[in-house]
Amino acid sequence: MANMYDIVIVGGGPGGYSAALYAARAGLHAVVLEKQRIGGQAVQSENIENYPGFDAGIDGLSLSEKMQRGAERFGAEMVTDEVCRVRLMQPVKIIEGAKQTYRAPAVILATGAPPKKLGVQGEEEMLGRGVHYYAACRSMMYKRKTVAVIGDGEQAAEAAMLLSRIAKRVCLVHRGIRMQINPAYMNKLKMMGNIERYAGSRILAFLHTNWVSSIRIREERDGEIWNLPCDGAFICLGGVPETGLFRGQVALDEQGYILANETTITNLTGVFAAGDVRTKLLRGILTAAADGAVAAQQAERYIVESI
Ligand SMILES: Cc1cc2nc3c(=O)[nH]c(=O)nc-3n(C[C@H](O)[C@H](O)[C@H](O)COP(=O)(O)OP(=O)(O)OC[C@H]3O[C@@H](n4cnc5c(N)ncnc54)[C@H](O)[C@@H]3O)c2cc1C
């Protein structure tokens, strides 16, 4: 049958590429379907410092290309195609792309969860030049500097705590009056002498020449507009899991992440979830790649047991 594989992997980020590497090395016929030429959110990053093995860091595009070639080397196929529809509840899963249809007994979903954007002036242009989404990846750039953290949830609280140990001053800016975090966490934030909270503050723009120099804020209470000087800002509004296509088939949590633990097993037999798209504690390149390996191994086990 045309386009019949052992494993179809949806999404070509670190999760998908590492699943393809492990599947191909296990002698399985695997394909990665990726809508972009080179996949993965990390292609937008000019320097990745927290992926082991690169002592001077590596740019995201090079890392993605290396991951892709590493899987191709063992026979995994890479196809540029956008998946538009999936039928995952039957023994042979059907994955419909914009270009072709693919079939396999096992599917690995690795479509990621890109960060929520603020959608304000300067955000896109200054990405990597004072605008960041992941404190764990860029915190060391702000040693003894002033940095803003934008958001009112746990991700923002964790980023502020992390940065408070590195930066001189952390400005935690959020739109509502209260943060949506548990009281114990709130007390810890208050105990940190270098975290200042700016509640009821709406971000209007990132001001910059070559690098962000301040953020423009409007007070929700009286409409006053002012600029908060800072050396950089972290937007911590959570992720947007790319799971719309799977809704109604694969079980999701209330935020839309695929419900799966470290085994990557989902509610559907033969369907596995790897990387940022699944419920997990720590999202990033390393943990996505680790998931890909586990998912491929679980898929292999499923194929062997079901024939
Ligand atoms: C600017 C930036 C910098 C970052 N820097 C770091 C860093 O330094 N260190 C770090 O650990 N993490 C960093 N991250 C986060 C990191 O990139 C992600 O955690 C990681 O890429 C998650 O891998 P993944 O494989 O789960 O998903 P992703 O990398 O998001 O890959 C998912 C892929 O699926 C594809 N896809 C989605 N839907 C479809 C569809 N319907 N059909 C076909 N393809 C589809 C997407 O195009 C995407 O390429 C950064 C993220 C950004 C945005």
Side-chain angles (χ1 to χ4, degrees):
M1 195 187 291
N3 292 329
M4 183 73 196
Y5 293 88
D6 294 319
I7 306 182
V8 171
I9 299 159
V10 186
Y17 290 143
S18 115
L21 172 69
Y22 272 72
R25 282 178 58 86
L28 297 169
H29 187 202
V31 63
V32 176
L33 307 179
E34 167 54 51
K35 61 184 173 185
Q36 298 168 5
R37 196 182 60 80
I38 300 285
Q41 286 175 60
V43 293
Q44 298 168 52
S45 174
E46 73 288 358
N47 197 22
I48 290 158
E49 295 170 340
N50 62 349
Y51 191 75
F54 299 95
D55 55 356
I58 181 167
D59 70 277
L61 180 60
S62 301
L63 181 61
S64 292
E65 284 174 339
K66 280 179 185 295
M67 287 184 175
Q68 191 192 63
R69 284 200 299 269
E72 279 175 324
R73 184 171 154 226
F74 295 101
E77 282 179 39
M78 302 292 153
V79 175
T80 306
D81 200 354
E82 176 161 4
V83 173
C84 308
R85 194 159 166 243
V86 295
R87 276 177 269 165
L88 300 172
M89 295 165 94
Q90 54 218 50
V92 176
K93 325 292 180 202
I94 299 176
I95 311 295
E96 290 177 30
K99 295 179 185 163
Q100 290 181 62
T101 296
Y102 312 82
R103 292 175 178 79
V107 173
I108 297 174
L109 305 174
T111 43
K116 242 181 232 159
K117 307 273 160 52
L118 269 173
V120 301
Q121 200 190 322
E123 179 178 7
E124 232 169 90
E125 296 158 74
M126 289 296 112
L127 180 61
R129 288 186 288 151
V131 173
H132 314 277
Y133 295 101
Y134 296 95
C137 307
R138 283 288 173 274
S139 55
M140 291 314 282
M141 288 172 81
Y142 294 99
K143 210 165 186 175
R144 290 189 276 280
K145 294 194 171 172
T146 296
V147 67
V149 172
I150 299 157
D152 68 357
E154 274 183 19
Q155 192 199 349
E158 278 169 13
M161 290 292 278
L162 165 69
L163 286 157
S164 72
R165 293 190 292 271
I166 295 159
K168 184 175 72 186
R169 178 174 164 232
V170 179
C171 304
L172 185 50
V173 185
H174 54 92
R175 209 167 148 182
I177 296 302
R178 286 199 183 80
M179 290 191 76
Q180 310 299 314
I181 56 174
N182 72 51
Y185 224 125
M186 195 68 228
N187 288 339
K188 284 195 179 150
L189 284 179
K190 283 181 183 159
M191 275 157 57
M192 303 304 295
N194 61 346
I195 299 181
E196 296 161 21
R197 213 151 60 82
Y198 295 86
S201 303
R202 185 186 185 144
I203 310 293
L204 299 181
F206 293 96
L207 307 182
H208 57 88
T209 42
N210 289 326
W211 195 274
V212 168
S213 53
S214 59
I215 48 182
R216 177 158 292 164
I217 288 174
R218 185 169 67 213
E219 294 296 333
E220 294 284 27
R221 192 168 34 93
D222 55 12
E224 188 197 340
I225 294 177
W226 62 286
N227 296 340
L228 173 68
C230 61
D231 299 300
F234 289 85
I235 302 171
C236 302
L237 304 173
V240 187
E242 296 263 5
T243 50
L245 288 174
F246 319 134
R247 196 172 279 280
Q249 300 180 61
V250 180
L252 309 177
D253 75 0
E254 62 284 357
Q255 287 158 342
Y257 289 97
I258 297 175
L259 282 167
N261 62 18
E262 295 303 310
T263 64
T264 75
I265 293 171
T266 70
N267 61 311
L268 297 179
T269 54
V271 179
F272 306 88
D276 284 8
V277 76
R278 78 167 176 90
T279 47
K280 65 190 336 211
L281 277 177
L282 179 62
R283 295 191 169 85
I285 298 169
L286 183 65
T287 58
D291 270 8
V294 175
Q297 189 252 3
Q298 291 293 333
E300 179 196 357
R301 184 175 287 178
Y302 169 75
I303 292 166
V304 169
E305 283 171 1
S306 58
I307 48 176

